[in-house]
Amino acid sequence: MKFAAPFKRKPLAAHYRDGYLTPVRTLIASALLLLACGGSDSPSPSPGAGANSGVKGGPDHVVLRASRGGGVISAYQYPGLDSVLWKSGSRVPALDRVLAFGAEDGYLAAVDSSGAGVRVDLRAGSVSRLSGKDVSSMSSADGSDIFILSTAGEITRQAPNGGDWSFSPELPVDAIFAQRDGSLIAAGARSNRIMMWRVRPPGQEIVDTLTLDLGGADSSLARAMATTAGMIGDRVYFGGNTSVVEIRARDLVPVLQVKVGSPIAAIAATPSGDRLFVAPLGQSSLRVVDRFQEGVTGDIKLPAAATGLRMDPLGRLLLVRGSGDIVFVVSLATDKVLGSVTSTWRGDLPLVMPDGLLALVDGNDVTFVNSNSLREERRVKGGAADFWHVLMWNGFRPRAAGLDEPVRFRRSAPRETFEPIDSQINSDSGSAAGSLSVDSSGVAAGSATGGVPPASGAQKKAVPATKPRDSIFTVSFAALLDEKAANSLARGIRVDAQGARVISSKRSGTTLYRVVLGPYPTRARADLAGKSSGKSYWVFEGPP
């Protein structure tokens, strides 16, 4: 295969990789570690040795638990599992696996046991369940936007305020990869070819494409790619025929193609993405692929063939699923098998905890086993009846009330009262005619066709007759540079006898024309208005 831009590097020099130091700096680094440890014989703490659960001031290690049959989510600050830190206000369905978590907004995206998508707002405690009919796969980059691929090949994006985008590609799709920039990469396989392309919602056009010829012909290529596909950082990887392929996500440039000699059962990437661990189908070994050396650099012998892989989030251990309930534990520092443990392999467990202990399913209980000695150190009675997930987040910490106080903006013009919110603005029948033109100071000037006149100095100091509401919400449809286009869009939006209006404002010397509805007293009312419009929209807290 010929790459459009060959990915070549100098031979591997000294650099840090997950779990070990390369030989060039090993002696120096080891000496420094020994000095730092006061001459200890052990240069670094071993996993499972009761390490501190987190750095003071950094994110907390949080364990989420919910009944596997569905129920309220409870949060615990690890290693404490006896005292509940937080509980959701709504019940979740029976969860199977987590797709993504966004620390900024506190959204957790998951898949339930029926294959439907679930979004949990860890700040508000609310839960929303997405359609699970005819779902082929799902992907999320931040827990907020969830992309759903149907068995018919249609892709939809489900945002917190509802489904706002759909795309029906002409090419077959077997795997989707949500990106942090809001775009989506889709991939499909037919015969011996891999096809990839990118779309940027809400647009419908394909902006980047890539076609790879993997050589040979394999009717199972599509299935293999769908089951082995993954993403780490800005790299998408998957198994195709007997090769491991890695694509740079930002520009769809192939950067790695390594033959491992056999069809591929599973792939796991280290947290840094420097190494890929590949399980050849039916073979009792793992291939170690180094992306800097662009080839197989090691072979880890296993007691039996691997059927699944699960990476430690901190890059210390690799869990390998064998036959039955046997799980092999591999150290990434030595690329050696430390031993085997027994655990049912589920979408959530077994799991490597923040301190290196292994959380395993043992009948009705969850046991915590030291990864070095493989001896049980802790047991949670009845824990196997719960779904478990660990995340790093400080969003459950107590916050000063003032930090959550919403920002108050100057209103377009003073009003005697804020009631009724739904109809106080733009009550006439013409949407564009009743719009307000806002100058750079944020004070509205009345238009010739029904705007509110500017207030006098005395009026500006007047106190509203009633107390303003604590929170109001506005529906926004677009922010355009063309006033005519904004007015045209506004004329086509009408909900419950209220038309959208155009508000102008200046940003860095540029005038923007925003098409809005509202304000509304609650987010739910604003969401309902947005959905009733039939247009793409978003809701923000505050006045227009």
Side-chain angles (χ1 to χ4, degrees):
M1 184 185 78
K2 294 183 179 179
F3 292 156
F7 185 77
K8 298 293 184 183
R9 291 198 180 223
K10 296 179 180 179
L12 183 65
H15 68 282
Y16 184 81
R17 297 191 298 186
D18 305 84
Y20 68 94
L21 289 168
T22 48
V24 176
R25 294 183 182 172
T26 300
L27 294 177
I28 298 175
S30 298
L32 291 175
L33 284 170
L34 288 171
L35 288 174
C37 295
S40 170
D41 292 334
S42 177
S44 60
S46 59
N52 191 0
S53 63
V55 178
K56 187 176 181 180
D60 297 322
H61 291 129
V62 177
V63 175
L64 300 180
R65 292 172 59 185
S67 170
R68 297 187 70 215
V72 172
I73 295 181
S74 298
Y76 306 81
Q77 185 172 345
Y78 189 78
L81 296 175
D82 299 322
S83 179
V84 176
L85 187 66
W86 171 90
K87 283 190 175 183
S88 64
S90 303
R91 295 170 59 89
V92 297
L95 298 180
D96 178 69
R97 58 190 173 90
V98 169
L99 290 173
F101 171 68
E104 292 184 3
D105 297 324
Y107 284 116
L108 180 78
V111 179
D112 71 13
S113 57
S114 71
V118 179
R119 183 188 297 105
V120 182
D121 187 340
L122 295 183
R123 294 192 185 276
S126 60
V127 177
S128 56
R129 186 175 184 270
L130 313 181
S131 173
K133 187 178 180 181
D134 300 326
V135 173
S136 175
S137 65
M138 297 186 201
S139 181
S140 178
D142 56 7
S144 174
D145 291 341
I146 302 176
F147 291 87
I148 301 175
L149 171 64
S150 72
T151 54
E154 183 181 36
I155 302 171
T156 59
R157 180 180 69 179
Q158 297 285 340
N161 55 9
D164 63 344
W165 177 82
S166 62
F167 179 71
S168 298
E170 297 180 1
L171 300 173
V173 178
D174 297 302
I176 54 177
F177 306 90
Q179 303 296 298
R180 284 284 181 179
D181 63 0
S183 67
L184 178 74
I185 294 175
R190 286 299 180 270
S191 183
N192 62 343
R193 290 186 149 218
I194 297 288
M195 297 157 286
M196 304 184 72
W197 59 95
R198 184 200 309 275
V199 288
R200 296 186 183 277
Q204 293 287 318
E205 66 276 7
I206 294 176
V207 295
D208 290 310
T209 61
L210 171 67
T211 300
L212 294 176
D213 189 340
L214 297 181
D218 190 343
S219 60
S220 62
L221 178 58
R223 180 196 59 79
M225 187 190 70
T227 56
T228 61
M231 185 168 179
I232 187 73
D234 68 338
R235 304 297 176 95
V236 171
Y237 60 85
F238 50 85
N241 291 338
T242 62
S243 298
V244 176
V245 180
E246 194 171 79
I247 307 297
R248 193 166 60 209
R250 67 175 180 268
D251 52 11
L252 294 190
V253 171
V255 293
L256 186 69
Q257 182 180 354
V258 177
K259 289 187 177 296
V260 295
S262 302
I264 299 169
I267 302 175
T270 57
S272 67
D274 287 358
R275 293 192 294 168
L276 298 175
F277 292 83
V278 182
L281 188 64
Q283 296 188 18
S284 302
S285 63
L286 296 177
R287 306 281 195 274
V288 183
V289 176
D290 191 298
R291 77 172 186 180
F292 292 105
Q293 294 192 3
E294 302 180 36
V296 176
T297 58
D299 191 86
I300 303 174
K301 299 299 181 183
L302 300 175
T307 59
L309 301 175
R310 183 164 294 164
M311 181 61 65
D312 172 8
L314 298 180
R316 299 159 296 181
L317 302 169
L318 176 67
L319 302 182
V320 181
R321 183 182 187 182
S323 60
D325 290 340
I326 299 301
V327 178
F328 308 120
V329 183
V330 176
S331 168
L332 299 192
T334 61
D335 287 351
K336 301 291 184 182
V337 176
L338 297 176
S340 62
V341 292
T342 302
S343 175
T344 303
W345 190 280
R346 308 187 327 198
D348 57 337
L349 297 172
L351 179 68
V352 182
M353 304 303 288
D355 57 3
L357 293 178
L358 307 179
L360 309 175
V361 179
D362 183 10
N364 296 324
D365 304 335
V366 169
T367 60
F368 293 86
V369 173
N370 187 294
S371 58
N372 287 325
S373 65
L374 300 184
R375 293 179 179 175
E376 180 181 325
E377 294 193 359
R378 189 176 185 185
R379 179 176 291 263
V380 177
K381 293 288 187 180
D386 289 345
F387 177 89
W388 294 66
H389 183 69
V390 177
L391 53 86
M392 296 181 65
W393 195 45
N394 57 17
F396 291 134
R397 293 181 184 178
R399 293 167 58 89
L403 295 178
D404 293 321
E405 185 70 22
V407 176
R408 301 294 183 184
F409 297 97
R410 294 184 63 185
R411 299 189 60 81
S412 299
R415 305 182 191 282
E416 293 302 318
T417 177
F418 281 83
E419 300 287 352
I421 285 183
D422 290 52
S423 58
Q424 65 184 358
I425 299 177
N426 197 28
S427 58
D428 56 271
S429 59
S431 59
S435 63
L436 296 178
S437 174
V438 184
D439 63 20
S440 59
S441 68
V443 180
S447 68
T449 55
V452 181
S456 65
Q459 287 174 320
K460 291 179 181 177
K461 298 179 181 179
V463 178
T466 59
K467 183 181 179 180
R469 291 177 180 266
D470 290 337
S471 298
I472 54 177
F473 300 88
T474 300
V475 183
S476 180
F477 297 95
L480 306 174
L481 297 176
D482 189 331
E483 184 177 11
K484 290 183 179 180
N487 285 328
S488 176
L489 176 61
R491 283 192 292 270
I493 300 174
R494 195 166 192 79
V495 177
D496 295 334
Q498 182 186 31
R501 64 192 185 283
V502 177
I503 294 179
S504 66
S505 61
K506 286 190 176 182
R507 299 282 179 86
S508 302
T510 301
T511 302
L512 294 177
Y513 300 91
R514 296 186 294 121
V515 182
V516 299
L517 269 177
Y520 296 90
T522 65
R523 184 180 292 275
R525 292 283 295 276
D527 272 332
L528 179 61
K531 292 178 181 178
S532 300
S533 71
K535 304 288 186 181
S536 296
Y537 72 96
W538 64 93
V539 174
F540 64 86
E541 185 174 357

